[in-house]
Short mmCIF file of all heavy atoms in Angstrom, two decimals:
data_model
loop_
_atom_site.label_atom_id
_atom_site.label_comp_id
_atom_site.label_asym_id
_atom_site.label_seq_id
_atom_site.Cartn_x
_atom_site.Cartn_y
_atom_site.Cartn_z
N ILE V 55 6.53 -32.15 54.45
CA ILE V 55 7.10 -32.60 55.72
C ILE V 55 8.56 -32.98 55.54
O ILE V 55 9.41 -32.64 56.35
CB ILE V 55 6.28 -33.78 56.30
CG1 ILE V 55 4.89 -33.28 56.70
CG2 ILE V 55 6.99 -34.41 57.48
CD1 ILE V 55 3.91 -34.35 57.07
N SER V 56 8.89 -33.65 54.45
CA SER V 56 10.27 -34.10 54.22
C SER V 56 11.18 -33.00 53.67
O SER V 56 12.40 -33.09 53.79
CB SER V 56 10.29 -35.30 53.28
OG SER V 56 9.73 -34.95 52.04
N ASN V 57 10.60 -31.97 53.06
CA ASN V 57 11.40 -30.87 52.51
C ASN V 57 10.67 -29.55 52.78
O ASN V 57 9.85 -29.12 51.97
CB ASN V 57 11.62 -31.07 51.01
CG ASN V 57 12.53 -30.01 50.42
OD1 ASN V 57 13.20 -29.26 51.13
ND2 ASN V 57 12.54 -29.92 49.11
N PRO V 58 10.98 -28.89 53.91
CA PRO V 58 10.21 -27.71 54.32
C PRO V 58 10.62 -26.40 53.64
O PRO V 58 10.72 -25.37 54.28
CB PRO V 58 10.49 -27.66 55.83
CG PRO V 58 11.85 -28.22 55.96
CD PRO V 58 11.97 -29.28 54.90
N TYR V 59 10.88 -26.46 52.34
CA TYR V 59 11.32 -25.27 51.61
C TYR V 59 10.53 -25.10 50.32
O TYR V 59 10.09 -26.07 49.71
CB TYR V 59 12.81 -25.37 51.25
CG TYR V 59 13.70 -25.44 52.45
CD1 TYR V 59 14.19 -26.66 52.90
CD2 TYR V 59 14.04 -24.29 53.15
CE1 TYR V 59 15.00 -26.73 54.02
CE2 TYR V 59 14.85 -24.35 54.27
CZ TYR V 59 15.32 -25.57 54.70
OH TYR V 59 16.11 -25.63 55.81
N TYR V 60 10.41 -23.84 49.92
CA TYR V 60 9.92 -23.52 48.59
C TYR V 60 11.13 -23.56 47.67
O TYR V 60 12.23 -23.17 48.07
CB TYR V 60 9.34 -22.11 48.54
CG TYR V 60 8.04 -21.94 49.27
CD1 TYR V 60 8.00 -21.52 50.59
CD2 TYR V 60 6.83 -22.17 48.62
CE1 TYR V 60 6.80 -21.35 51.26
CE2 TYR V 60 5.62 -22.00 49.28
CZ TYR V 60 5.61 -21.59 50.60
OH TYR V 60 4.42 -21.42 51.24
N GLU V 61 10.93 -24.02 46.45
CA GLU V 61 12.05 -24.05 45.50
C GLU V 61 11.54 -23.89 44.08
O GLU V 61 10.56 -24.52 43.70
CB GLU V 61 12.83 -25.35 45.62
CG GLU V 61 14.03 -25.43 44.72
CD GLU V 61 14.88 -26.67 44.95
OE1 GLU V 61 14.75 -27.34 45.99
OE2 GLU V 61 15.69 -26.98 44.05
N VAL V 62 12.23 -23.03 43.32
CA VAL V 62 11.92 -22.88 41.91
C VAL V 62 13.23 -23.04 41.14
O VAL V 62 14.25 -22.46 41.50
CB VAL V 62 11.24 -21.52 41.60
CG1 VAL V 62 12.13 -20.35 41.97
CG2 VAL V 62 10.84 -21.43 40.13
N LYS V 63 13.18 -23.87 40.12
CA LYS V 63 14.37 -24.11 39.28
C LYS V 63 14.18 -23.38 37.96
O LYS V 63 13.18 -23.57 37.27
CB LYS V 63 14.55 -25.60 39.03
CG LYS V 63 15.79 -25.94 38.25
CD LYS V 63 15.94 -27.45 38.12
CE LYS V 63 17.23 -27.85 37.47
NZ LYS V 63 17.37 -29.32 37.43
N PHE V 64 15.15 -22.53 37.64
CA PHE V 64 15.12 -21.77 36.41
C PHE V 64 16.10 -22.33 35.39
O PHE V 64 17.20 -22.75 35.74
CB PHE V 64 15.53 -20.30 36.66
CG PHE V 64 14.50 -19.50 37.38
CD1 PHE V 64 14.59 -19.30 38.75
CD2 PHE V 64 13.44 -18.93 36.70
CE1 PHE V 64 13.65 -18.55 39.43
CE2 PHE V 64 12.49 -18.16 37.37
CZ PHE V 64 12.59 -17.98 38.75
N GLU V 65 15.69 -22.30 34.13
CA GLU V 65 16.60 -22.55 33.01
C GLU V 65 16.95 -21.18 32.45
O GLU V 65 16.07 -20.39 32.15
CB GLU V 65 15.92 -23.38 31.93
CG GLU V 65 16.79 -23.58 30.70
CD GLU V 65 16.04 -24.30 29.59
OE1 GLU V 65 15.70 -25.49 29.78
OE2 GLU V 65 15.76 -23.66 28.55
N ILE V 66 18.23 -20.91 32.33
CA ILE V 66 18.71 -19.64 31.80
C ILE V 66 19.48 -19.94 30.52
O ILE V 66 20.42 -20.72 30.52
CB ILE V 66 19.66 -18.93 32.80
CG1 ILE V 66 19.01 -18.79 34.18
CG2 ILE V 66 20.12 -17.59 32.25
CD1 ILE V 66 17.84 -17.87 34.25
N ASP V 67 19.06 -19.32 29.43
CA ASP V 67 19.78 -19.45 28.16
C ASP V 67 20.63 -18.21 27.95
O ASP V 67 20.18 -17.09 28.22
CB ASP V 67 18.79 -19.57 26.99
CG ASP V 67 17.92 -20.81 27.08
OD1 ASP V 67 18.19 -21.69 27.90
OD2 ASP V 67 16.94 -20.87 26.31
N TYR V 68 21.85 -18.41 27.50
CA TYR V 68 22.75 -17.29 27.20
C TYR V 68 23.70 -17.72 26.10
O TYR V 68 23.79 -18.90 25.77
CB TYR V 68 23.51 -16.84 28.46
CG TYR V 68 24.42 -17.90 29.05
CD1 TYR V 68 25.76 -18.02 28.66
CD2 TYR V 68 23.94 -18.81 29.99
CE1 TYR V 68 26.58 -19.00 29.18
CE2 TYR V 68 24.76 -19.78 30.52
CZ TYR V 68 26.08 -19.87 30.13
OH TYR V 68 26.88 -20.84 30.65
N PHE V 69 24.39 -16.75 25.55
CA PHE V 69 25.35 -17.04 24.50
C PHE V 69 26.75 -17.02 25.09
O PHE V 69 27.11 -16.09 25.83
CB PHE V 69 25.26 -16.00 23.37
CG PHE V 69 23.97 -16.09 22.62
CD1 PHE V 69 22.93 -15.21 22.88
CD2 PHE V 69 23.78 -17.07 21.66
CE1 PHE V 69 21.73 -15.30 22.20
CE2 PHE V 69 22.58 -17.17 20.96
CZ PHE V 69 21.55 -16.28 21.23
N LEU V 70 27.53 -18.03 24.77
CA LEU V 70 28.93 -18.08 25.16
C LEU V 70 29.74 -17.66 23.93
O LEU V 70 29.71 -18.33 22.90
CB LEU V 70 29.33 -19.48 25.62
CG LEU V 70 30.80 -19.65 26.04
CD1 LEU V 70 31.13 -18.72 27.22
CD2 LEU V 70 31.07 -21.09 26.40
N LEU V 71 30.40 -16.53 24.06
CA LEU V 71 31.22 -16.01 22.96
C LEU V 71 32.67 -16.38 23.24
O LEU V 71 33.30 -15.84 24.16
CB LEU V 71 31.06 -14.48 22.86
CG LEU V 71 29.62 -13.97 22.83
CD1 LEU V 71 29.59 -12.45 22.97
CD2 LEU V 71 28.95 -14.39 21.55
#
Side-chain angles (χ1 to χ4, degrees):
I55 293 171
S56 61
N57 184 14
Y59 298 99
Y60 289 93
E61 182 174 343
V62 61
K63 183 176 186 177
F64 288 98
E65 175 185 294
I66 307 293
D67 297 348
Y68 62 91
F69 293 100
L70 179 61
L71 310 170

